[in-house]
């Protein structure tokens, strides 16, 4: 037996050795124009699935090539111009490559918003791309932080790691990602990115598994995604290669940050079966420290790719389990010029109303028992997403591609919302919404934890614990057939998606002192002995909601690319959506029920309850045609222009359905028309990508939830004209990046009657929360080889919190800086954000403001100064 085994092994290894000796190899080193090896460059044999990836020394090898055969090497990497090299394998070949930098990656093939992938230079869309190198250099603290680098996107990052807001090309909204779609590998992370308390960035985290990001504004977005006239943001994952390549990274910060990232990709069977696996774990106290771990959790991603002649098949899986602190407006003062200042006892850069002093909510309920939640759970999404991708070239003309993903989300949401104040003790006592005192002199304020009396000058305010449970699911599938003719490429596709969101709300109101790390306060009417609070809770379950929203989308789309000449191309696209939305809402009895458990206490005298009431069921159909047409003319390999017009739409958002469930004729689909003209130029020293655009938006919904639990429920038209500029310049060791947006979004046809009977007319006013000017400048210098420094100046122009343009949020500037040092396969990084502790306001208090003094108000500032130190190793 042993002899037979030895013979078999000898034959196997002998045959393998003879094959190896019979084949030829091509190998070499890939460097940039400074002579620095470039890691992660893709080297592909044209027309095959075979290839290699450069290691951290820039070296690559492709083995077992046929003797005397002719091959074409395609060498590509984000940030460099693509190189094509023809080789004849008369012998083993050493082919060293020097890559020329492509400052705006105009030579990069983009796949988002296109059925026929083209280079950025040849594409007729406004698109920003970032590869691994750019993602690392930006050192974003969150997904939203990264998107601030995209011109045309106003991104509010003051909410923390999640729950942030993005306004695309001046389209106003209540927040979230209402008019754009965040995708992961070409499918939405969830179909609707603006569900209540379920912003799309809740489900997505940046880590080392990301290969690149592609973000298009307007353009073809409405043809390739439903409800996304503002754009598509697509994060593309690493998928493995023949070489075993990995990266491990550790990051620490001065706010208790500890984070580890790991990604490994390679081949199980060379050129056939590839894998990639990675993820992260992170814990920190938060830049605004609530007294407990503000952010804690992580994610794991895995994909497996099988390549075969003419295509590939891939499966992928993602698990996200994370907890994040969500940040809301805090107390501030205004100086004589209206600029924000720190409120005494409350740090504007690091303070938060969230506090460990009231992290546990436990309130009695109708029918017995208690409603309990833990603030330390924060925004806690538990996400499971499994999907697949299949592509096959049926013939030289026809190919098919299908992608799918099934996503399940269990969201437990807890946050402290500021809903009024600050107030003097006398004003609060006599002006409180529920059971005010007749005489402020009878108000006795004491701390819950010690029983000590408050200083008479201490201000108090409401701080609500908003607890929301959401059970969500989404299945999406995209099937596309592509027909590649000599001059025309046509894609016919069918997109299907069904999604569901069940939600339950239970909100109670705390009474707290106005300070960092605030404490619960009790209020007693000494004239009657009746308490206005229950262990610091002024109103138990003042809002309860039980509702469901479902969507079923069926969309047919057609996209055609026509090559009139080598330099002139046209794009035509159509999408027809037959979408059906349905759901139910409670008919809550507001402030109707006396729990009757707390004697001499009003905290349980006016609960809002849903039990015993019937539900209102609703259905809403959306039948819409989206379309786009464009021309792109390439003057040379370095310069091109394009023109495009597009029409898209956005279905009503979740809050609109809830508010109007009994009469859905009150709501309308938002229509968005865009015309744009773009110019692209890139050389070895300068790159420019400029876009001029005009937009007309009909039926924009305003549905902020106010302090009394109701919604604005208003609609308006908006017009916007603007310019987006993305530019890079480089001279020797110096480089500078810039992105600039200048625009003028204004209301049109916006007048009517408020709920209280008063009238309003906002015609011509600036769209709220959107500045007319904002930009980022980022100079960088390489002091010596592999040692560099950067600074970043971000300017955000003034804007208005409200439609009436009464509450102005002043312009502000933010400065970041950092350094990096590379030693072979090691990279050390240091990054500092908001160096000068600017108090920059992204929003006021959208739930309404009750001012104790004219100069005291609530607003949400950006995060304070923070430092991070990282070390990464490539292997």
């Amino acid at each position: 037996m042993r002899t037979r085994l030895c013979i078999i092994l000898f034959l196997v290894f002998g045959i393998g050795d003879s094959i190896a000796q019979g084949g030829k190899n091509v190998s070499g080193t890939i460097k940039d124009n400074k002579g620095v090896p470039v890691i992660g460059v893709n080297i592909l044999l044209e027309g095959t699935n075979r290839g290699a990836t450069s290691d951290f020394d820039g070296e690559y090898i492709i083995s077992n090539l046929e003797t005397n055969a002719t091959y074409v090497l395609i060498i590509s990497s984000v940030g460099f111009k693509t190189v094509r090299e023809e080789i004849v394998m008369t012998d083993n070949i050493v082919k060293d490559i020097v890559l020329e930098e492509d400052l705006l990656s105009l030579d990069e093939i983009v796949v988002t918003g296109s059925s026929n992938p083209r280079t950025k230079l040849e594409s007729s869309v406004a698109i920003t791309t970032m590869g691994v190198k750019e993602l690392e250099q930006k050192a974003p603290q969150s997904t939203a932080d990264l998107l601030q680098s995209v011109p045309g996107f106003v991104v509010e990052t003051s909410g923390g790691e999640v729950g942030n807001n993005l306004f695309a090309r001046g389209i106003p909204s209540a927040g979230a990602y209402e008019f754009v779609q965040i995708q992961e590998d070409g499918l939405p992370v969830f179909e609707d990115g603006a569900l209540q308390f379920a912003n799309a960035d809740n489900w997505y985290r940046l880590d080392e598994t990301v290969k690149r990001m592609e973000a298009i504004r307007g353009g073809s977005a409405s043809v390739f995604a439903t409800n996304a006239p503002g754009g598509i943001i697509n994060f593309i994952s690493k998928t493995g290669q023949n070489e075993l390549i990995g990266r491990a990274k550790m990051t620490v910060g001065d706010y208790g940050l500890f984070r580890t990232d790991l990604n490994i990709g390679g081949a199980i069977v060379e050129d056939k079966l590839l894998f990639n696996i990675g993820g992260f774990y992170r814990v920190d106290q938060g830049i605004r420290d609530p007294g407990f771990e503000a952010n804690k959790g992580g994610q794991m991603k895995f994909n497996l790719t099988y390549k075969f002649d003419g295509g590939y098949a891939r499966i992928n899986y993602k698990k996200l389990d994370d907890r994040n602190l969500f940040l809301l407006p805090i107390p501030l003062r205004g100086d004589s010029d209206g600029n924000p200042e720190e409120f005494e006892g409350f740090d504007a850069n690091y303070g938060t109303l969230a506090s460990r002093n009231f992290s546990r909510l436990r309130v009695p309920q109708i029918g017995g028992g208690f409603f309990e939640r833990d603030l330390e759970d924060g925004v806690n999404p538990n996400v499971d997403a499994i999907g697949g991708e299949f592509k096959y070239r049926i013939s030289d003309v026809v190919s098919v591609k299908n992608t799918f993903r099934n996503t399940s989300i269990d969201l437990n949401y807890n946050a402290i919302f500021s809903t009024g104040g600050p107030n003097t003790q006398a004003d609060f006592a006599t002006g409180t919404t529920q059971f005010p005192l007749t005489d402020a002199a009878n108000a006795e304020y004491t701390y819950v934890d010690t029983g000590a009396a408050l200083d008479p000058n201490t201000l108090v305010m409401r701080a609500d614990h908003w607890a929301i449970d959401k059970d969500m699911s989404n299945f999406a599938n995209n099937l596309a057939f592509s027909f590649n003719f000599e001059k025309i490429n046509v894609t016919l596709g069918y997109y299907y998606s069904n999604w569901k969101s069940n939600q339950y709300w239970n909100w109670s109101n705390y009474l707290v002192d106005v300070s960092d790390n605030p404490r619960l306060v009790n209020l007693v009417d000494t004239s009657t002995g009746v308490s206005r609070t229950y262990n610091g809770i002024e109103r138990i379950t003042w809002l309860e909601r039980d509702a469901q929203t479902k969507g079923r989308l069926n969309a047919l789309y057609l996209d055609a690319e026509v090559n009139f000449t080598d330099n002139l191309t046209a794009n035509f696209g159509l999408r027809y959506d037959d979408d059906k939305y349905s759901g139910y809402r409670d008919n809550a009895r507001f402030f109707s029920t006396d729990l009757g458990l707390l004697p001499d206490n009003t905290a349980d005298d006016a609960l809002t309850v849903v039990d015993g009431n019937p539900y209102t069921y609703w259905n809403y159909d959306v039948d819409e045609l989206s379309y786009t047409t464009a021309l792109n003319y390439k003057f040379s390999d370095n310069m091109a222009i394009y023109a495009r017009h597009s029409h898209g739409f956005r279905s009503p958002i979740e809050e609109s359905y809830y508010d109007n469930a009994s009469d859905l004729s009150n709501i309308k689909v938002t229509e968005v028309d865009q015309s744009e003209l773009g110019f692209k130029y890139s050389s070895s020293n300068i790159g420019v990508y400029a876009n001029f655009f005009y937009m007309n938006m009909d039926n924009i919904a305003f549905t902020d939830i106010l302090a009394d639990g109701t919604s604005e429920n208003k609609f308006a038209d908006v017009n916007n004209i603007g310019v987006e500029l993305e530019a890079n310049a480089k001279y020797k060791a110096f480089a500078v990046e810039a992105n600039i947006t200048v625009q003028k979004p204004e209301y049109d046809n916006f007048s009517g009657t408020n709920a209280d009977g008063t009238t309003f007319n906002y015609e011509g006013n600036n769209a709220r929360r959107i500045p007319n000017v904002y930009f980022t400048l980022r100079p960088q210098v390489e002091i010596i080889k592999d040692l560099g420094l950067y600074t970043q100046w971000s300017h955000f122009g003034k804007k208005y919190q409200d439609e009436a343009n009464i509450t102005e949020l002043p312009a502000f500037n933010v400065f970041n800086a950092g350094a990096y040092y590379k030693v072979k396969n090691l990279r050390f990084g240091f990054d500092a954000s908001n160096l000068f502790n600017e108090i920059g306001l992204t929003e006021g208090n959208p739930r309404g403001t009750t001012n104790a003094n004219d100069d005291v108000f609530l607003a949400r500032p950006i995060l304070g100064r923070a430092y991070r130190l990282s070390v990464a190793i490539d292997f």
Side-chain angles (χ1 to χ4, degrees), residues 357-631:
N357 291 329
F358 41 83
S359 61
R360 297 287 298 180
L361 176 69
R362 190 171 190 265
V363 293
Q365 295 290 282
I366 295 293
F370 292 83
F371 179 79
E372 300 185 63
R373 286 295 184 271
D374 190 346
L375 182 61
E376 296 190 29
D377 287 338
V379 180
N380 179 203
N382 198 314
V383 180
D384 287 277
I386 185 167
E389 186 174 329
F390 173 82
K391 186 174 183 180
Y392 181 62
R393 187 175 66 251
I394 298 172
S395 69
D396 291 340
V397 173
V398 183
S399 63
V400 60
K401 182 178 181 181
N402 190 77
T403 55
F404 75 90
R405 179 180 297 127
N406 188 74
T407 303
S408 298
I409 301 173
D410 180 14
L411 174 65
N412 176 229
Y413 186 105
N414 295 273
I416 296 299
F417 280 70
S418 47
T419 53
N423 302 269
T424 64
Q425 294 176 31
D427 285 348
F428 184 86
T430 57
T432 181
T433 304
Q434 179 171 308
F435 309 116
L437 278 66
T438 56
D439 188 347
N442 297 325
E444 180 184 73
Y445 290 90
T446 58
Y447 286 110
V448 171
D449 52 359
T450 65
L454 269 69
D455 184 295
N457 295 318
T458 298
L459 299 185
V460 294
M461 66 179 292
R462 289 181 59 188
D464 285 14
H465 187 143
W466 290 13
I468 299 103
D469 295 326
K470 294 182 82 81
D471 179 16
M472 305 169 62
S473 61
N474 183 197
F475 175 81
N477 190 91
N478 189 37
L479 173 66
F481 289 92
S482 295
F483 304 88
N484 186 3
F485 302 107
E486 183 177 353
K487 292 289 186 179
I488 302 176
N489 293 281
V490 178
T491 295
L492 179 63
Y494 168 63
Y495 180 77
Y496 171 82
S497 177
N498 69 69
W499 61 270
K500 178 179 70 174
S501 174
N502 290 335
Q503 61 176 347
Y504 173 76
W505 302 4
N506 196 312
W507 300 357
S508 291
N509 160 231
Y510 293 126
L511 179 61
V512 301
D513 66 334
V514 181
S515 65
D516 272 347
N517 200 24
R519 297 158 63 187
L520 292 173
V521 172
N522 275 328
L523 169 61
V524 175
D525 184 347
T526 58
S527 67
T528 62
V530 176
S531 177
R532 294 294 188 270
T533 54
Y534 164 71
N535 296 329
I537 300 174
E538 187 211 4
R539 292 195 290 174
I540 291 173
T541 310
W542 72 269
L543 181 63
E544 188 178 27
R545 179 178 288 191
D546 185 13
Q548 180 191 78
T549 307
K550 295 194 295 184
R552 187 172 76 249
L553 282 59
N554 287 275
L556 289 173
Y557 62 92
L558 175 71
D559 184 66
E561 294 273 356
V562 182
N563 302 312
F564 292 118
T565 68
D566 290 341
N567 295 328
L568 180 63
T569 60
N571 173 245
F572 306 94
L574 292 171
R575 183 185 184 96
Y576 174 70
D577 271 271
D578 179 15
D579 306 333
K580 300 185 182 302
Y581 299 92
S582 61
Y584 60 77
R585 62 154 291 174
D586 58 76
N587 285 284
R589 302 187 300 277
F590 277 80
F591 318 126
S592 63
T593 304
D594 185 348
L595 193 61
L597 294 179
L598 306 176
D600 298 324
N601 195 305
T602 63
D604 71 335
D605 288 358
L607 274 68
T608 297
V609 296
V610 300
D611 284 356
N613 272 18
Y615 289 88
T616 297
Y617 294 84
W618 57 268
N619 293 276
Y620 192 85
D621 294 344
V622 174
D623 298 295
E624 288 287 329
L625 180 67
S626 302
Y627 54 84
T628 186
T629 181
L631 286 173

Side-chain angles (χ1 to χ4, degrees), residues 602-858:
T602 63
D604 71 335
D605 288 358
L607 274 68
T608 297
V609 296
V610 300
D611 284 356
N613 272 18
Y615 289 88
T616 297
Y617 294 84
W618 57 268
N619 293 276
Y620 192 85
D621 294 344
V622 174
D623 298 295
E624 288 287 329
L625 180 67
S626 302
Y627 54 84
T628 186
T629 181
L631 286 173
N632 188 92
Y633 185 76
K634 187 171 68 172
F635 293 99
S636 66
D637 289 340
N638 296 324
M639 183 169 62
I641 61 170
Y642 78 89
R644 179 180 288 274
H645 178 76
S646 60
H647 171 83
F649 74 96
R650 176 57 163 96
S651 301
I653 63 174
E654 191 174 36
E655 183 66 28
S656 294
Y657 294 128
Y658 185 91
D659 294 333
N660 300 279
S662 59
D663 184 7
L664 293 181
S665 65
N666 292 328
I667 62 177
K668 300 177 182 179
V669 169
T670 300
E671 307 279 354
V672 180
D673 285 277
Q674 302 178 67
S675 297
E676 52 190 300
L677 181 67
F679 171 78
K680 297 164 280 188
Y681 173 78
S682 179
S683 69
S684 58
N685 294 318
I686 190 170
V688 177
Y689 208 146
N691 302 281
F692 169 81
F693 65 90
Y694 174 76
M695 300 179 65
N696 177 262
M697 298 155 269
D698 295 336
N699 307 318
I700 298 289
F702 295 90
T703 54
D704 274 341
I705 299 172
L706 305 177
D708 61 0
T710 62
S711 168
E712 287 180 284
N713 204 27
K714 295 177 180 176
F715 297 86
D717 299 341
V718 178
N719 298 319
N720 190 21
I721 187 169
V723 176
E724 303 160 345
L725 177 65
E726 189 174 0
N728 283 0
K730 195 166 188 178
Y731 178 72
K732 295 184 177 179
F734 295 91
V736 62
E737 300 176 19
N739 73 76
I740 303 169
T741 303
V742 180
Q743 60 185 356
K744 194 171 179 57
E746 295 181 338
Y747 294 124
D748 189 20
N749 298 321
F750 199 8
S751 61
T753 304
N754 294 309
D756 61 3
T758 59
T759 60
F760 66 89
N761 186 352
Y762 302 144
E763 188 83 13
N765 285 6
N766 277 20
R768 69 178 186 184
R769 290 169 64 175
I770 300 176
N772 288 349
V773 178
Y774 54 98
F775 62 80
T776 295
L777 297 176
R778 184 185 173 97
Q780 180 173 308
V781 60
E782 191 170 55
I783 300 174
I784 59 174
K785 183 179 178 181
D786 295 328
L787 173 62
L789 303 174
Y790 76 86
T791 60
Q792 180 173 297
W793 171 29
S794 297
H795 171 80
F796 302 89
K798 75 172 184 178
K799 57 185 179 180
Y800 295 97
Q801 168 61 29
D802 57 331
E803 292 94 340
N805 287 185
I806 295 173
T807 305
E808 180 182 308
L809 302 179
F812 64 92
N813 299 285
V814 183
F815 292 89
N816 299 341
Y820 68 88
Y821 179 58
K822 293 187 288 186
V823 183
K824 282 188 166 292
N825 58 328
L826 275 175
R827 183 188 188 274
F828 297 92
F830 173 76
D831 300 282
S833 56
N834 196 5
L835 282 173
F836 304 115
N837 264 333
E838 178 80 4
I839 305 175
L841 306 183
T842 63
E843 69 171 10
N845 183 19
R847 282 152 293 281
T849 302
T850 303
N851 290 335
N853 303 293
D854 290 339
D855 65 339
V856 180
F857 60 94
L858 291 172

Side-chain angles (χ1 to χ4, degrees), residues 12-25:
V12 169
F13 284 103
I15 292 172
D17 184 62
S18 66
I19 292 174
Q21 289 179 2
K24 302 299 180 183
N25 303 332

Side-chain angles (χ1 to χ4, degrees), residues 93-114:
I93 292 178
V94 176
K95 177 64 68 173
D96 295 330
I97 303 293
V98 176
L99 295 179
E100 179 184 350
E101 196 162 2
D102 185 8
L103 292 183
L104 283 176
S105 301
L106 294 185
D107 207 33
E108 177 188 357
I109 301 292
V110 294
V111 298
T112 304
S114 173

